[in-house]
Amino acid sequence: MKVDRTGDSAFTAEFDTEEELRDEHRSNLSVGGLRLPSSEKVGLQTTVALTLRGPWGGEVALAATVVAELPDAIALAFEGDPDEILRRLLAGAPAAEPRTGAEDSAARVPDGEDSAARAPEASEGRQSVWDRVRGLTQMEKLLLAVKADRTERALLVNDSDPRVLLSLLRNPRLTVDEVVRVAKSSYLTYQIADVIMKTGQWMGGLEVRLALIHNAKTPPAFGLRILPTLPDSEVKAIARGGTSMALKQAALRRLQGKR
């Protein structure tokens, strides 16, 4: 894939071959994402103008969102019908050679064997969500996280990659109880805590604030900002066993100031 940055927030990606395009579709495009090989730096959640070109000149313009920065690429998520995008990118492809009679016979599924022909699809349907999510690459998890359903989110929230947790926070269907689980995570980072702290609807919930202030991974400065918003019963608990000496001392000063 040839990638060019055509503006501050604009990229063009051209697929060299149909095989390369179909491989990317199977891996990422089919789930609404793209792994864009690039050493360029683009901020998370930046909306970029993305132009995709197929090997025969088919072209699609999309608005995509940066969901993760990878060592040698940018992970993008986009809205739209992936199959329609693939069809448009394949526009202009040479017509397939006609099948021989023998190939046609082999390709047809005899009556009564429909269920057998659909067996792989049925098997996929029976496959547990756990097995499916566990089998995803980290790139696929990053792309899934921003649009995952509740069952998928329940699995992704346990992922050891902080980038997946950060992508989960960008899922518009995320509930407060799920934010609490992210805030309690042992993989919490400054960036994750910062996103939670800046989201008023989440910080309005006591459980979210408690999850952050009791997590040793939460930066002490954030804990000190949360402390004044807590009831005395919680401040007393922090004075006895806060995650840092600065936090315990601040809790003690608040309690002593009320005497």
Side-chain angles (χ1 to χ4, degrees):
M1 183 192 303
K2 179 183 177 183
V3 176
D4 291 314
R5 188 167 189 169
T6 56
D8 288 342
S9 300
F11 289 87
T12 296
E14 185 172 349
F15 294 94
D16 295 323
T17 65
E18 179 177 349
E19 180 181 11
E20 181 184 48
L21 172 56
R22 290 191 180 278
D23 284 345
E24 183 65 22
H25 182 265
R26 280 191 294 270
S27 301
N28 298 312
L29 290 175
S30 61
V31 294
L34 176 72
R35 183 184 183 280
L36 192 73
S38 177
S39 59
E40 302 279 356
K41 298 298 181 183
V42 184
L44 291 175
Q45 283 301 96
T46 299
T47 299
V48 301
L50 177 65
T51 300
L52 300 178
R53 293 200 182 107
W56 294 283
E59 187 170 296
V60 177
L62 299 167
T65 303
V66 178
V67 296
E69 294 181 357
L70 307 174
D72 58 350
I74 303 168
L76 300 174
F78 60 84
E79 298 295 333
D81 183 347
D83 292 332
E84 173 63 15
I85 291 171
L86 177 64
R87 185 190 68 76
R88 290 169 60 186
L89 291 176
L90 289 173
E97 293 183 3
R99 291 175 178 269
T100 66
E103 288 173 329
D104 281 339
S105 298
R108 286 196 294 269
V109 179
D111 293 341
E113 294 186 13
D114 287 357
S115 59
R118 292 193 299 266
E121 181 179 347
S123 175
E124 173 67 21
R126 290 193 297 269
Q127 185 183 30
S128 71
V129 176
W130 164 251
D131 288 337
R132 178 167 55 82
V133 172
R134 184 176 57 178
L136 297 177
T137 65
Q138 287 307 103
M139 174 68 182
E140 290 168 336
K141 289 178 183 178
L142 289 171
L143 295 172
L144 173 63
V146 295
K147 59 182 70 177
D149 62 28
R150 189 174 181 92
T151 302
E152 294 165 334
R153 296 196 302 270
L155 299 171
L156 292 172
V157 77
N158 295 314
D159 199 88
S160 60
D161 188 343
R163 296 174 302 173
V164 173
L165 298 181
L166 195 59
S167 292
L168 274 176
L169 293 180
R170 299 187 174 95
N171 189 314
R173 294 183 288 179
L174 200 69
T175 61
V176 172
D177 63 300
E178 291 172 315
V179 176
V180 170
R181 292 187 64 188
V182 173
K184 288 181 176 180
S185 174
S186 59
Y187 302 107
L188 187 82
T189 63
Y190 177 94
Q191 194 171 24
I192 295 170
D194 186 52
V195 170
I196 296 174
M197 291 283 293
K198 289 178 177 177
T199 307
Q201 68 189 65
W202 296 340
M203 292 301 290
L206 177 60
E207 288 301 314
V208 173
R209 284 177 278 146
L210 290 177
L212 281 176
I213 204 166
H214 288 297
N215 190 335
K217 294 295 184 69
T218 298
F222 288 170
L224 293 173
R225 285 166 53 189
I226 294 170
L227 186 66
T229 72
L230 301 181
D232 285 351
S233 58
E234 297 297 339
V235 176
K236 289 178 182 177
I238 292 168
R240 290 193 299 267
T243 56
S244 71
M245 184 57 67
L247 197 56
K248 288 195 278 188
Q249 290 175 347
L252 284 169
R253 284 196 299 270
R254 173 178 157 177
L255 294 172
Q256 292 169 353
K258 290 192 174 185
R259 289 175 184 171

